[in-house]
Amino acid sequence: TWNMDGHLASVTGDSDMLVFQMSAEGVVQWVQTAGGACEDPDPWDDRPRHALREPASGDLIVTGDYAGNASFGAFTLPGWCEYRNLFVAAYDEDGTVLWASRATGPDILVDAHVVGPDNNIHVFGIVAQAPATFHGSPSIELSTGGFHATYGTDGTLINADHILNTGEVYGA
């Protein structure tokens, strides 16, 4: 259990995360946890989770990977403990999770995400082991290699493209 300026947060898995907002003065305004009870399938991978403020709405967009079923506020994303799945989640200025989206597969890694001029969220990374399924209507399956996935401001999958046969996309 963590105590951050009186905000208590408990984690259950070995790769759970804390998402929090601080004021300009450095005072913690809210704290949320996310994740599940599974062990990280690759505990030696120190790949960070990424967070970025969406300029038009002020929402906080967070991306990364998870193993097993993972909870983000009221949203639970299904997955398998032996897989490293992708998540994209949005938090409002009060720390409420607005939506959470996923891609599932044996090994999906997020390298970066940006918010485009159209306010869509662009996620870049690698499908290290295929196939990977980006869930939406319709869902999109990608093979091994670099990818670019686009999500709307409501978390809807707009598109997912295979952009490299080998290698990763860094610092997009």
Side-chain angles (χ1 to χ4, degrees), residues 1 8 14 20 34 44 47 57 69-70 72 75 78 85 90 103 107-109 117 128 144 151 156 159 171:
T1 300
L8 298 179
D14 74 341
F20 59 94
W44 301 107
R47 190 175 303 266
S57 66
N69 295 335
F72 298 84
F75 299 90
N85 306 291
D107 203 5
I108 306 170
L109 306 171
T144 303
Y151 294 86
T156 301
N159 196 21

Side-chain angles (χ1 to χ4, degrees), residues 7 12 21 54 58 123 132 137 141 149 166:
H7 299 273
T12 57
Q21 178 170 294
E54 200 279 329
V123 181
S137 293
E141 191 169 287
T166 61

Side-chain angles (χ1 to χ4, degrees), residues 52-57 61 112-124 148-153 158 172:
L52 177 67
R53 191 67 66 194
E54 200 279 329
S57 66
I61 308 299
H113 76 269
V114 296
V115 176
D118 56 2
N119 293 320
N120 289 331
I121 299 114
H122 299 269
V123 181
F124 299 88
H148 166 225
T150 306
Y151 294 86
T153 57
I158 296 172

